[in-house]
Amino acid sequence: MHQTTRKILDFFYPNVCPRCGIILHPEETVCDACAEKMLLSQNDYCQKCGKTNCMCQYRKLAYDRAVVACRYDKESAPAVLALKESKNTNFAYFTARILAERLRHGSYYQVQETDYVMPVPMHKAKQKQRGYNQAGLIARELAELLHLPYREDVLYKEKSAAEQHTLTSAQERAKNVGSFGIREVSLENMRIILCDDVLTTGSTMNRCAELLKFKGAAFVTAAAASSTSPPEQKETTKHKEESLL
Ligand SMILES: [Zn+2]
């Protein structure tokens, strides 16, 4: 977000930590204590699928690498929820900074050679109702930080499908993501960074990456503000479900 806009907003709405509610300095997004609780170390997730429990051996993914900022668990849920409910969008700016930093030091190619930063789309009606697409906030901020072009007119969501998080099985989630579409564009040999707020099974990112590849994209990075780690005891069944996708 533009600094001036930010300052004006801070005047009317005090800048508070989206997780604990403590008052922050205008330039801060999350307090240090909460940042520490939410951050996911780069060694703790798979650089290809973005999961803390790597699913690469069970699925062939359409995206080429994943960059993740935070874990999605009970520690970070209040901040993610505040972003979704338009209460506090700081989590988007906080995670965009982390993602930018991790992408600058990425090993696949120089991040400046990225063609576009795009969000996972939200259905138009829903975006109008909420006022913004939270994935778009993250993607736009990331594009600004990395000085890369931002585009949200390529991918679209056809209809309001059931909310991903309300669906319990990986199979249901996979079916539900079928409603994404892509406009008539050429993405021949392009490198794209695709952003979302939460990476759960990876089905949404995967479907969008498939569409981008279908239009010629050469490399797709899945950049997620947060990534879920399923409870340990469910690992086995979870993997079985994933392998069916
Ligand atoms: Zn805090």
Side-chain angles (χ1 to χ4, degrees):
M1 198 191 286
H2 196 269
Q3 274 309 109
T4 320
T5 323
R6 201 64 195 264
K7 277 183 188 139
I8 293 166
L9 286 174
D10 286 342
F11 180 79
F12 294 104
Y13 305 98
N15 185 27
V16 298
C17 173
R19 186 176 171 276
C20 70
I22 196 174
I23 294 181
L24 301 171
H25 289 292
E27 72 281 1
E28 286 181 308
T29 52
V30 167
C31 79
D32 290 347
C34 290
E36 204 178 310
K37 287 196 173 89
M38 298 194 292
L39 273 177
L40 183 60
S41 141
Q42 285 204 91
N43 302 322
D44 288 340
Y45 67 88
C46 170
Q47 308 292 304
K48 173 78 176 76
C49 69
K51 301 297 292 178
T52 51
N53 57 328
C54 171
M55 59 184 179
C56 290
Q57 63 181 114
Y58 305 99
R59 288 176 77 173
K60 172 121 180 57
L61 291 164
Y63 54 87
D64 302 278
R65 73 162 155 183
V67 185
V68 179
C70 292
R71 53 182 84 249
Y72 182 83
D73 58 9
K74 65 178 193 320
E75 298 288 358
S76 63
V80 181
L81 214 65
L83 170 64
K84 280 193 199 286
E85 293 174 346
S86 356
K87 279 185 193 150
N88 185 325
T89 52
N90 279 9
F91 188 70
Y93 308 115
F94 169 68
T95 50
R97 284 180 202 178
I98 307 292
L99 293 170
E101 193 56 30
R102 293 183 173 181
L103 283 161
R104 277 193 201 105
H105 299 105
S107 51
Y108 291 85
Y109 66 88
Q110 290 294 308
V111 76
Q112 292 84 352
E113 293 162 18
T114 305
D115 294 279
Y116 295 120
V117 180
M118 296 180 189
V120 163
M122 179 182 268
H123 187 259
K124 256 189 185 170
K126 196 171 167 192
Q127 190 164 337
K128 210 169 176 184
Q129 181 195 356
R130 183 173 298 177
Y132 61 86
N133 169 4
Q134 70 271 17
L137 288 187
I138 300 160
R140 202 186 285 270
E141 183 75 0
L142 186 60
E144 204 168 298
L145 290 168
L146 295 171
H147 308 287
L148 293 170
Y150 171 77
R151 267 191 93 162
E152 57 176 21
D153 61 338
V154 174
L155 291 162
Y156 62 90
K157 197 148 188 196
E158 270 167 357
K159 56 178 178 354
S160 285
E163 288 277 334
Q164 274 297 85
H165 63 83
T166 64
L167 304 177
T168 46
S169 82
Q171 274 167 293
E172 275 182 311
R173 280 163 186 263
K175 265 188 223 154
N176 189 48
V177 297
S179 58
F180 287 103
I182 191 158
R183 297 203 169 79
E184 275 312 314
V185 285
S186 170
L187 303 173
E188 213 53 51
N189 289 319
M190 287 191 178
R191 288 162 168 163
I192 292 161
I193 297 173
L194 180 65
C195 294
D196 209 354
D197 55 340
V198 183
L199 184 114
T200 48
T201 60
S203 303
T204 301
M205 286 281 206
N206 199 53
R207 179 64 189 142
C208 291
E210 258 174 22
L211 293 169
L212 297 170
K213 289 277 174 87
F214 181 66
K215 293 292 178 191
F219 195 96
V220 177
T221 300
S226 65
S227 174
T228 59
S229 18
E232 295 299 321
Q233 67 272 24
K234 282 188 182 165
E235 296 277 280
T236 334
T237 33
K238 188 90 193 161
H239 281 155
K240 269 183 201 150
E241 282 172 9
E242 300 281 6
S243 66
L244 297 170
L245 302 181

